[in-house]
Amino acid sequence: MIISSREDRLVVISDLHLGNPFCHSKRQIVEFLANAIDEGYSICINGDGLDIAQTSFVQLTREIPEVFGQLKRATRKGQHVFYCIGNHDILLQHLLDDWGLFTVVPFLNVQSGNKRFHIQHGHDYDPFYTNSPGLYEFATHVAGYFLNLSPDLYRVWIAFERFRGHLRGRQRGIIAEPPSFIEAADEICQRGFDGVIFGHTHHPGVVELAEGALYVNTGSWLLRPHFAEINRGQLILKSWPETSPVAPS
């Protein structure tokens, strides 16, 4: 299994959740992929690109063709397309691998310039997911039911998580994330990496670690889209479509 690659230029996106009743970003995803391919970037979808835990199959079939068409265009041009498995698409791992459109990996280590970066969806560092997987799966399906009733409940939940994060007071890491994520990023960088890119939490942000390393979370494309750009050893979090860099917190 390929888990390492040398990439001068790579973009990383996560949590597209194609098929989710709240997903209304297909056009932005297609435009982003087309732009990245035209600019010569390889692509990494860092988990939960497809959502089979909270799926509307009708919406999924509407959204997949154009997105996959762009990814096929990338491979035809000789650019790499990686897919790191997340918790919402884990059951599709073998299907995705069999399609031959992606290089499917549990995580990806990237050498770019003289820097090394570790890319992983991050659900393995979510204490709720790891400590109570059955309950987590049940809660995910229940949330999908409520999203079908009113997709805007997702906005309420994200706002609640951020509010709860602010109530905890100033803490190291990205607001609304469990401390386990920044702790995992610290530990991974101590193994010789210059940056770590997670998704999963749906909260984008950048945190400076020791010795100039960075922890980046690319957030979710369900609200305000973000992506990580690796360009000849430089790691930057940007928003889309304005491509504004996000400053470290």
Side-chain angles (χ1 to χ4, degrees):
M1 178 180 291
I2 297 172
I3 57 172
S4 298
S5 184
R6 173 174 283 279
E7 303 289 339
D8 282 342
R9 308 176 82 200
L10 175 76
V11 291
V12 183
I13 54 178
S14 70
D15 298 276
L16 310 180
H17 289 279
L18 293 169
N20 188 289
F22 193 78
C23 180
H24 304 294
S25 57
K26 184 197 73 173
R27 178 50 48 199
Q28 285 183 305
I29 294 168
V30 170
E31 291 172 354
F32 169 81
L33 293 174
N35 180 76
I37 294 164
D38 291 341
E39 294 293 324
Y41 284 87
S42 290
I43 297 162
C44 177
I45 298 175
N46 191 19
D48 292 357
L50 305 178
D51 192 333
I52 64 167
Q54 299 172 334
T55 308
S56 162
F57 284 103
V58 172
Q59 186 164 339
L60 189 61
T61 54
R62 284 200 302 259
E63 293 172 347
I64 282 181
E66 282 191 84
V67 174
F68 279 20
Q70 290 298 328
L71 298 177
K72 187 178 294 186
R73 187 167 73 91
T75 58
R76 286 173 176 167
K77 291 184 66 175
Q79 292 150 246
H80 296 145
V81 179
F82 301 98
Y83 197 115
C84 296
I85 292 297
N87 55 297
H88 278 244
D89 48 28
I90 193 168
L91 295 178
L92 292 177
Q93 179 172 353
H94 297 298
L95 178 62
L96 292 170
D97 201 19
D98 289 343
W99 277 347
L101 183 59
F102 319 95
T103 299
V104 179
V105 293
F107 60 85
L108 183 67
N109 297 329
V110 172
Q111 179 85 36
S112 180
N114 63 349
K115 300 291 183 67
R116 296 178 69 227
F117 303 103
H118 177 83
I119 303 168
Q120 188 174 356
H121 183 62
H123 56 286
D124 292 331
Y125 305 112
D126 184 336
F128 185 16
Y129 180 85
T130 55
N131 295 334
S132 306
L135 181 59
Y136 185 97
E137 183 177 358
F138 174 76
T140 298
H141 286 289
V142 170
Y145 170 78
F146 283 106
L147 282 174
N148 274 293
L149 292 177
S150 177
D152 283 341
L153 288 173
Y154 174 77
R155 295 182 184 275
V156 175
W157 175 254
I158 290 297
F160 169 74
E161 285 195 323
R162 292 190 62 82
F163 175 72
R164 185 174 59 181
H166 285 294
L167 286 181
R168 294 194 191 108
R170 183 64 182 171
Q171 60 181 12
R172 185 167 171 266
I174 296 171
I175 288 290
E177 281 193 350
S180 52
F181 284 85
I182 191 72
E183 292 166 2
D186 270 328
E187 183 178 337
I188 292 168
C189 286
Q190 288 169 14
R191 303 174 195 162
F193 290 93
D194 299 285
V196 171
I197 303 173
F198 289 150
H200 183 67
T201 70
H202 292 202
H203 295 286
V206 184
V207 180
E208 292 182 343
L209 307 177
E211 300 181 6
L214 291 176
Y215 162 48
V216 169
N217 194 299
T218 47
S220 167
W221 281 59
L222 294 178
L223 287 177
R224 185 181 178 192
H226 287 78
F227 66 99
E229 176 188 82
I230 297 174
N231 192 343
R232 296 178 175 86
Q234 186 177 22
L235 172 60
I236 303 173
L237 179 66
K238 294 182 175 180
S239 58
W240 177 263
E242 62 269 23
T243 68
S244 305
V246 178
S249 58

PDB file of all heavy atoms in Angstrom, residues 95-112:
ATOM      1  N   LEU A  95     -14.446  -0.359  -2.461  1.00  0.00           N
ATOM      2  CA  LEU A  95     -15.089   0.104  -3.683  1.00  0.00           C
ATOM      3  C   LEU A  95     -14.286   1.234  -4.320  1.00  0.00           C
ATOM      4  O   LEU A  95     -14.044   1.239  -5.538  1.00  0.00           O
ATOM      5  CB  LEU A  95     -16.511   0.559  -3.377  1.00  0.00           C
ATOM      6  CG  LEU A  95     -17.307   1.132  -4.558  1.00  0.00           C
ATOM      7  CD1 LEU A  95     -17.482   0.086  -5.647  1.00  0.00           C
ATOM      8  CD2 LEU A  95     -18.661   1.654  -4.081  1.00  0.00           C
ATOM      9  N   LEU A  96     -13.862   2.199  -3.514  1.00  0.00           N
ATOM     10  CA  LEU A  96     -13.064   3.306  -4.019  1.00  0.00           C
ATOM     11  C   LEU A  96     -11.756   2.802  -4.611  1.00  0.00           C
ATOM     12  O   LEU A  96     -11.299   3.280  -5.655  1.00  0.00           O
ATOM     13  CB  LEU A  96     -12.783   4.316  -2.904  1.00  0.00           C
ATOM     14  CG  LEU A  96     -13.985   5.101  -2.371  1.00  0.00           C
ATOM     15  CD1 LEU A  96     -13.601   5.883  -1.123  1.00  0.00           C
ATOM     16  CD2 LEU A  96     -14.519   6.041  -3.436  1.00  0.00           C
ATOM     17  N   ASP A  97     -11.151   1.834  -3.949  1.00  0.00           N
ATOM     18  CA  ASP A  97      -9.894   1.267  -4.431  1.00  0.00           C
ATOM     19  C   ASP A  97     -10.108   0.551  -5.760  1.00  0.00           C
ATOM     20  O   ASP A  97      -9.306   0.669  -6.691  1.00  0.00           O
ATOM     21  CB  ASP A  97      -9.340   0.306  -3.377  1.00  0.00           C
ATOM     22  CG  ASP A  97      -7.849   0.069  -3.533  1.00  0.00           C
ATOM     23  OD1 ASP A  97      -7.178   0.889  -4.185  1.00  0.00           O
ATOM     24  OD2 ASP A  97      -7.358  -0.938  -3.010  1.00  0.00           O
ATOM     25  N   ASP A  98     -11.198  -0.187  -5.883  1.00  0.00           N
ATOM     26  CA  ASP A  98     -11.474  -0.945  -7.101  1.00  0.00           C
ATOM     27  C   ASP A  98     -11.755  -0.042  -8.296  1.00  0.00           C
ATOM     28  O   ASP A  98     -11.519  -0.429  -9.450  1.00  0.00           O
ATOM     29  CB  ASP A  98     -12.658  -1.897  -6.885  1.00  0.00           C
ATOM     30  CG  ASP A  98     -12.322  -3.065  -5.971  1.00  0.00           C
ATOM     31  OD1 ASP A  98     -11.119  -3.325  -5.768  1.00  0.00           O
ATOM     32  OD2 ASP A  98     -13.261  -3.704  -5.451  1.00  0.00           O
ATOM     33  N   TRP A  99     -12.304   1.145  -8.059  1.00  0.00           N
ATOM     34  CA  TRP A  99     -12.587   2.053  -9.167  1.00  0.00           C
ATOM     35  C   TRP A  99     -11.317   2.458  -9.913  1.00  0.00           C
ATOM     36  O   TRP A  99     -11.355   2.744 -11.098  1.00  0.00           O
ATOM     37  CB  TRP A  99     -13.293   3.310  -8.651  1.00  0.00           C
ATOM     38  CG  TRP A  99     -14.762   3.127  -8.482  1.00  0.00           C
ATOM     39  CD1 TRP A  99     -15.533   2.103  -8.962  1.00  0.00           C
ATOM     40  CD2 TRP A  99     -15.651   3.990  -7.778  1.00  0.00           C
ATOM     41  NE1 TRP A  99     -16.842   2.276  -8.595  1.00  0.00           N
ATOM     42  CE2 TRP A  99     -16.947   3.428  -7.861  1.00  0.00           C
ATOM     43  CE3 TRP A  99     -15.489   5.176  -7.078  1.00  0.00           C
ATOM     44  CZ2 TRP A  99     -18.056   4.008  -7.279  1.00  0.00           C
ATOM     45  CZ3 TRP A  99     -16.593   5.768  -6.487  1.00  0.00           C
ATOM     46  CH2 TRP A  99     -17.864   5.187  -6.601  1.00  0.00           C
ATOM     47  N   GLY A 100     -10.193   2.505  -9.211  1.00  0.00           N
ATOM     48  CA  GLY A 100      -8.934   2.872  -9.837  1.00  0.00           C
ATOM     49  C   GLY A 100      -8.775   4.354 -10.098  1.00  0.00           C
ATOM     50  O   GLY A 100      -7.812   4.781 -10.738  1.00  0.00           O
ATOM     51  N   LEU A 101      -9.710   5.159  -9.610  1.00  0.00           N
ATOM     52  CA  LEU A 101      -9.637   6.601  -9.821  1.00  0.00           C
ATOM     53  C   LEU A 101      -8.713   7.278  -8.817  1.00  0.00           C
ATOM     54  O   LEU A 101      -8.107   8.305  -9.107  1.00  0.00           O
ATOM     55  CB  LEU A 101     -11.049   7.198  -9.710  1.00  0.00           C
ATOM     56  CG  LEU A 101     -11.211   8.695  -9.961  1.00  0.00           C
ATOM     57  CD1 LEU A 101     -10.738   9.068 -11.355  1.00  0.00           C
ATOM     58  CD2 LEU A 101     -12.678   9.091  -9.773  1.00  0.00           C
ATOM     59  N   PHE A 102      -8.608   6.680  -7.622  1.00  0.00           N
ATOM     60  CA  PHE A 102      -7.816   7.257  -6.540  1.00  0.00           C
ATOM     61  C   PHE A 102      -6.712   6.280  -6.134  1.00  0.00           C
ATOM     62  O   PHE A 102      -6.817   5.075  -6.365  1.00  0.00           O
ATOM     63  CB  PHE A 102      -8.652   7.497  -5.271  1.00  0.00           C
ATOM     64  CG  PHE A 102     -10.023   8.035  -5.501  1.00  0.00           C
ATOM     65  CD1 PHE A 102     -11.111   7.187  -5.587  1.00  0.00           C
ATOM     66  CD2 PHE A 102     -10.238   9.395  -5.618  1.00  0.00           C
ATOM     67  CE1 PHE A 102     -12.393   7.671  -5.773  1.00  0.00           C
ATOM     68  CE2 PHE A 102     -11.512   9.892  -5.808  1.00  0.00           C
ATOM     69  CZ  PHE A 102     -12.599   9.037  -5.889  1.00  0.00           C
ATOM     70  N   THR A 103      -5.716   6.821  -5.456  1.00  0.00           N
ATOM     71  CA  THR A 103      -4.833   6.004  -4.624  1.00  0.00           C
ATOM     72  C   THR A 103      -5.415   6.080  -3.222  1.00  0.00           C
ATOM     73  O   THR A 103      -5.351   7.129  -2.569  1.00  0.00           O
ATOM     74  CB  THR A 103      -3.394   6.531  -4.638  1.00  0.00           C
ATOM     75  OG1 THR A 103      -2.891   6.478  -5.976  1.00  0.00           O
ATOM     76  CG2 THR A 103      -2.492   5.682  -3.748  1.00  0.00           C
ATOM     77  N   VAL A 104      -6.041   4.995  -2.771  1.00  0.00           N
ATOM     78  CA  VAL A 104      -6.749   4.985  -1.491  1.00  0.00           C
ATOM     79  C   VAL A 104      -5.765   4.608  -0.389  1.00  0.00           C
ATOM     80  O   VAL A 104      -5.076   3.588  -0.475  1.00  0.00           O
ATOM     81  CB  VAL A 104      -7.929   3.997  -1.522  1.00  0.00           C
ATOM     82  CG1 VAL A 104      -8.655   3.979  -0.187  1.00  0.00           C
ATOM     83  CG2 VAL A 104      -8.895   4.364  -2.649  1.00  0.00           C
ATOM     84  N   VAL A 105      -5.702   5.447   0.665  1.00  0.00           N
ATOM     85  CA  VAL A 105      -4.734   5.255   1.740  1.00  0.00           C
ATOM     86  C   VAL A 105      -5.392   5.535   3.091  1.00  0.00           C
ATOM     87  O   VAL A 105      -6.360   6.295   3.169  1.00  0.00           O
ATOM     88  CB  VAL A 105      -3.516   6.198   1.580  1.00  0.00           C
ATOM     89  CG1 VAL A 105      -2.707   5.831   0.345  1.00  0.00           C
ATOM     90  CG2 VAL A 105      -3.953   7.659   1.502  1.00  0.00           C
ATOM     91  N   PRO A 106      -4.862   4.936   4.180  1.00  0.00           N
ATOM     92  CA  PRO A 106      -5.353   5.293   5.513  1.00  0.00           C
ATOM     93  C   PRO A 106      -4.810   6.640   5.974  1.00  0.00           C
ATOM     94  O   PRO A 106      -5.437   7.338   6.768  1.00  0.00           O
ATOM     95  CB  PRO A 106      -4.839   4.150   6.392  1.00  0.00           C
ATOM     96  CG  PRO A 106      -3.617   3.662   5.682  1.00  0.00           C
ATOM     97  CD  PRO A 106      -3.895   3.831   4.221  1.00  0.00           C
ATOM     98  N   PHE A 107      -3.631   6.984   5.487  1.00  0.00           N
ATOM     99  CA  PHE A 107      -3.005   8.284   5.737  1.00  0.00           C
ATOM    100  C   PHE A 107      -1.963   8.472   4.649  1.00  0.00           C
ATOM    101  O   PHE A 107      -1.638   7.544   3.893  1.00  0.00           O
ATOM    102  CB  PHE A 107      -2.371   8.357   7.135  1.00  0.00           C
ATOM    103  CG  PHE A 107      -1.301   7.326   7.376  1.00  0.00           C
ATOM    104  CD1 PHE A 107       0.019   7.542   6.997  1.00  0.00           C
ATOM    105  CD2 PHE A 107      -1.610   6.117   7.976  1.00  0.00           C
ATOM    106  CE1 PHE A 107       1.002   6.593   7.208  1.00  0.00           C
ATOM    107  CE2 PHE A 107      -0.642   5.145   8.194  1.00  0.00           C
ATOM    108  CZ  PHE A 107       0.668   5.384   7.805  1.00  0.00           C
ATOM    109  N   LEU A 108      -1.419   9.677   4.545  1.00  0.00           N
ATOM    110  CA  LEU A 108      -0.438   9.968   3.502  1.00  0.00           C
ATOM    111  C   LEU A 108       0.691  10.817   4.082  1.00  0.00           C
ATOM    112  O   LEU A 108       0.445  11.847   4.712  1.00  0.00           O
ATOM    113  CB  LEU A 108      -1.110  10.727   2.352  1.00  0.00           C
ATOM    114  CG  LEU A 108      -0.232  11.044   1.143  1.00  0.00           C
ATOM    115  CD1 LEU A 108       0.174   9.768   0.407  1.00  0.00           C
ATOM    116  CD2 LEU A 108      -0.969  11.989   0.191  1.00  0.00           C
ATOM    117  N   ASN A 109       1.913  10.378   3.856  1.00  0.00           N
ATOM    118  CA  ASN A 109       3.101  11.153   4.204  1.00  0.00           C
ATOM    119  C   ASN A 109       3.661  11.764   2.922  1.00  0.00           C
ATOM    120  O   ASN A 109       3.937  11.049   1.958  1.00  0.00           O
ATOM    121  CB  ASN A 109       4.150  10.269   4.872  1.00  0.00           C
ATOM    122  CG  ASN A 109       3.668   9.698   6.189  1.00  0.00           C
ATOM    123  OD1 ASN A 109       2.871  10.324   6.891  1.00  0.00           O
ATOM    124  ND2 ASN A 109       4.147   8.523   6.553  1.00  0.00           N
ATOM    125  N   VAL A 110       3.819  13.067   2.927  1.00  0.00           N
ATOM    126  CA  VAL A 110       4.223  13.785   1.714  1.00  0.00           C
ATOM    127  C   VAL A 110       5.563  14.470   1.932  1.00  0.00           C
ATOM    128  O   VAL A 110       5.747  15.183   2.927  1.00  0.00           O
ATOM    129  CB  VAL A 110       3.154  14.831   1.331  1.00  0.00           C
ATOM    130  CG1 VAL A 110       3.656  15.716   0.193  1.00  0.00           C
ATOM    131  CG2 VAL A 110       1.868  14.141   0.917  1.00  0.00           C
ATOM    132  N   GLN A 111       6.475  14.248   1.004  1.00  0.00           N
ATOM    133  CA  GLN A 111       7.735  14.987   0.965  1.00  0.00           C
ATOM    134  C   GLN A 111       7.580  16.083  -0.070  1.00  0.00           C
ATOM    135  O   GLN A 111       7.240  15.819  -1.239  1.00  0.00           O
ATOM    136  CB  GLN A 111       8.892  14.066   0.580  1.00  0.00           C
ATOM    137  CG  GLN A 111      10.248  14.752   0.487  1.00  0.00           C
ATOM    138  CD  GLN A 111      10.945  14.843   1.825  1.00  0.00           C
ATOM    139  OE1 GLN A 111      10.833  13.936   2.644  1.00  0.00           O
ATOM    140  NE2 GLN A 111      11.677  15.913   2.053  1.00  0.00           N
ATOM    141  N   SER A 112       7.800  17.331   0.326  1.00  0.00           N
ATOM    142  CA  SER A 112       7.697  18.462  -0.590  1.00  0.00           C
ATOM    143  C   SER A 112       8.837  19.422  -0.276  1.00  0.00           C
ATOM    144  O   SER A 112       8.950  19.908   0.858  1.00  0.00           O
ATOM    145  CB  SER A 112       6.354  19.175  -0.433  1.00  0.00           C
ATOM    146  OG  SER A 112       6.259  20.270  -1.323  1.00  0.00           O
TER     147      SER A 112
END
